[in-house]
Structure formats: C-alpha cells, structure tokens
Amino acid sequence: MSDLIFCDADIITMDESRPHAEAIHIKKNIIENIGSNQEILSKKQHGTKIISAKGKTIMPGFIDSHIHIFPGSGSLGKLNLTNAYTFDEVKNLTQKYINENKDLNFIEGTGVHYSVFKGVDKATRLQLDKIIEDKSLLLIAPDHHSGWANTKALSEASILEGFALPEGNEVVMSADGYAEGMLKENEAIKLVSAQQLPRRSRLGLDTGGEPSPEPNDQERNIDKKILKKGLAHLAKLGITSVHNMDGNFYTLELLDEIQRENSLTCRVKVPFHFKPEMDAKELDSALEMHRRWNTPFLSSGLVKFFMDGVIGSGTAFLVDDYAD
C-alpha cells in the first residue's frame, strides 16, 4: 500500500513535544506526518486507503536486540515450561505433553528455571527418569545456556560416561562416574538435541555452516513455513526489527525468498557466525553476506563471536570468583 492513513487512534508518539495524536499518514512505507484526524485526513488523495483504528493504540514497533529467529521459530509449539516453578509442575506438564504427542520419541521442553533442580540430592537425570524413562527427554533453561537430560537421552547421545568438550562447555559428571544430567552451554546441549532430525534450523547456531546435502525444494518450503510462523509470532508482539544472534547463508537465502514473496514482516539483520574452531580466512564469508544482503529489510554486515556463558549456570568468565 503506497498511501495509507490510520485515524481515530490513540497514537503514542514517544515525542515529548507531542506525546499523543489521533491519526498518522504513511506514504511508501515512510511516516509522512502525525496529527489530529482533521489535519491528517485533509491530506487524503485519490487512492489513499483510510483505516479507522476505532480508538485502539498505535505506537512505534519494538526492536529486539537478541533473537534466534530460525531455531526460535522451530521451537514454537513445543513444550513450554516457563510457568512451571517446581519439579512437580514440570513433571505434570511434561507428562501431559507426552500423552498428547505419543508419536514423539524425543521430548524437548524449554523455559525450565534453574531453581527447579536446586536443593535435591538425586542427580537430575534420575529426577527426569521419574517423568519418563523409555523416551529421550531434554529440558532447556530460559537462557538456553543449560540443559538437563534423562538417562535415555544421555545414552542415545553416547555421553552417559562423559564427553570432553572445549572450555566453557561441560557434560557435568557425578561422583559415580556417570553424567549427572546437566549440560552446560550449546556444545554440550547439542550432543543430545542432535537426536532430533532434521537440524537445518539450528545450523546457524550450532556450526555456523550450511546444510549438507543441500535441501531440496520441498525441504526449503518446510523451512520457510517454520520461519513464517516465527515472523507471525513477532508481528503479533509488535516487533518490527530484529538482530539475529546466529547465522549462515541458508538462513539469509530463506529470508530473501520470503521477502521476494512479500511475506517478510519485520526487518532482520543476520550475522556470519564465527565459531572458535574456524580459521580467520572464513571471515571472507561475512564480506560475501554483506555484499549479497544489504537492504533496509534484510541485511548482514556483522559477525557473531561467542566468548562465554551466563551467571546462572556458572559458565560466564568472571574477573573475580563467583560469590558461592
């Protein structure tokens, strides 16, 4: 729509000199003016579309500074445990989800608070075995820097007896020589989550690399549907621009195709994800990304470097010792 007026609105302008207005005029995706209904409607021309907000609020869109758009879109509809604050609540919600999704052999829940497992003597994998033993179960913390897995999931990943990882990542071990169940940082978590296939939505985060073999048209369409679901979720929350915190060429290619279909509903910046094991020469890929994608709605031109973790799991590198 090249010429658009919203009227009859409660517009919050964020401008101290004029904090509220009734109408807004948008032309070629640019805000031309705001003001009273009378002021703005006087600018109506042939072809201008008029929409009455019927008293509803209009405000500037939110810009999200840290998002994982592809894996985040893939997690929509999965088990959400954000509102569970005790182990019993986690157990009841997880078992309910399992009963409703009997065809799943791998169960993943997100948003599990660290406090759920504190103050309990038994290893977390044994606690999770009480929820389910014969299927893999992986629970992820709200910050996505920690996970907890049951015995089945650890065994299927061949890490029940431990696994050596780069500094800052850890398969936590118990005194009995077996994995405790807690997985610190993504290099540990992805050993278990890799049991879920396909993994294309997580490649930009896990490896920074591209899918191999190259996805066919049907697979690309599946992945675009996943991204469109995430974009719709962002739009519903009023988010109009995001800074992605993982990336590869494949993510940008899919978003580019969505943009060409006029379905890209927010501005997206996607970085090249430089992993610690990469050679510096691979930064040439970041230059190529910037060359190919540099529009107001879809751009690259930045690099994601990962240094350390978070306070909650004890994986952040601190100058001074932790308080505990």
Side-chain angles (χ1 to χ4, degrees):
M1 179 59 59
S2 61
D3 198 9
L4 177 65
I5 289 177
F6 285 96
C7 59
D8 306 322
D10 176 16
I11 300 174
I12 301 173
T13 68
M14 305 296 175
D15 181 354
E16 291 183 359
S17 65
R18 192 175 194 175
H20 291 274
E22 290 180 308
I24 184 169
H25 182 202
I26 300 167
K27 198 168 186 178
K28 295 181 179 179
N29 285 326
I30 300 294
I31 295 174
E32 285 283 302
N33 208 345
I34 60 171
S36 67
N37 282 338
Q38 183 177 357
E39 288 174 313
I40 302 305
L41 287 172
S42 68
K43 302 179 184 298
K44 180 179 68 171
Q45 298 176 341
H46 178 72
T48 300
K49 184 173 183 179
I50 311 294
I51 298 177
S52 172
K54 299 179 180 178
K56 292 184 178 180
T57 300
I58 294 177
M59 63 184 293
F62 294 105
I63 299 175
D64 197 311
S65 63
H66 187 132
I67 194 172
H68 297 277
I69 191 166
F70 202 175
S73 298
S75 70
L76 293 174
K78 289 187 177 180
L79 174 61
N80 187 334
L81 295 166
T82 306
N83 294 322
Y85 291 93
T86 67
F87 180 77
D88 284 342
E89 288 175 326
V90 168
K91 180 180 179 180
N92 292 337
L93 287 172
T94 304
Q95 288 180 335
K96 180 176 182 291
Y97 180 83
I98 292 169
N99 289 334
E100 293 172 350
N101 297 273
K102 295 183 183 295
D103 57 322
L104 294 180
N105 290 317
F106 187 102
I107 313 299
E108 180 178 326
T110 61
V112 180
H113 302 283
Y114 287 93
S115 58
V116 165
F117 298 109
K118 289 184 177 178
V120 180
D121 293 334
K122 286 186 177 180
T124 53
R125 69 176 174 86
L126 299 179
Q127 295 179 58
L128 296 184
D129 287 348
K130 292 181 178 179
I131 297 176
I132 190 165
E133 287 186 294
D134 60 346
K135 294 184 177 183
S136 293
L137 174 62
L138 173 65
L139 302 182
I140 307 292
D143 56 27
H144 285 252
H145 285 261
S146 293
W148 299 271
N150 69 350
T151 303
K152 174 76 171 177
L154 295 166
S155 297
E156 291 291 329
S158 301
I159 59 173
L160 185 58
E161 296 181 7
F163 195 86
L165 289 168
E167 185 176 5
N169 301 267
E170 183 182 1
V171 176
V172 178
M173 301 300 291
S174 294
D176 61 5
Y178 292 99
E180 191 273 347
M182 187 178 192
L183 307 164
K184 294 188 177 184
E185 295 301 328
N186 192 53
E187 295 301 311
I189 296 170
K190 74 179 186 182
L191 295 171
V192 172
S193 62
Q195 295 174 42
Q196 300 179 92
L197 295 174
R199 301 283 297 159
R200 294 186 300 272
S201 67
R202 290 192 57 89
L203 283 175
L205 178 62
D206 288 347
T207 70
E210 308 304 319
S212 180
E214 186 174 336
N216 58 37
D217 289 345
Q218 182 180 7
E219 290 168 332
R220 292 179 80 93
N221 286 331
I222 289 171
D223 291 341
K224 281 197 293 184
K225 284 182 180 178
I226 291 171
L227 280 167
K228 286 178 179 179
K229 185 176 182 180
L231 288 166
H233 182 70
L234 295 174
K236 185 178 179 180
L237 298 173
I239 295 172
T240 59
S241 183
V242 297
H243 296 76
N244 206 50
M245 285 297 132
D246 65 82
N248 57 2
F249 281 93
Y250 185 58
T251 300
L252 280 157
E253 288 169 359
L254 293 177
L255 290 169
D256 195 356
E257 290 178 22
I258 291 171
Q259 183 179 27
R260 293 174 191 276
E261 297 168 3
N262 293 318
S263 298
L264 188 61
T265 50
C266 74
R267 292 167 174 82
V268 185
K269 293 186 74 69
V270 178
F272 173 71
H273 189 180
F274 188 86
K275 301 283 285 183
E277 64 271 15
M278 289 180 175
D279 188 278
K281 291 180 181 178
E282 295 193 53
L283 287 171
D284 289 344
S285 294
L287 296 173
E288 178 62 13
M289 283 181 174
H290 180 53
R291 185 190 69 78
R292 291 176 60 183
W293 293 284
N294 191 18
T295 69
F297 260 79
L298 182 60
S299 61
S300 187
L302 66 160
V303 179
K304 165 46 179 302
F305 293 90
F306 189 87
M307 292 182 65
D308 66 345
V310 293
I311 298 289
S313 62
T315 55
F317 293 166
L318 304 187
V319 174
D320 297 316
D321 290 340
Y322 280 84
D324 59 2

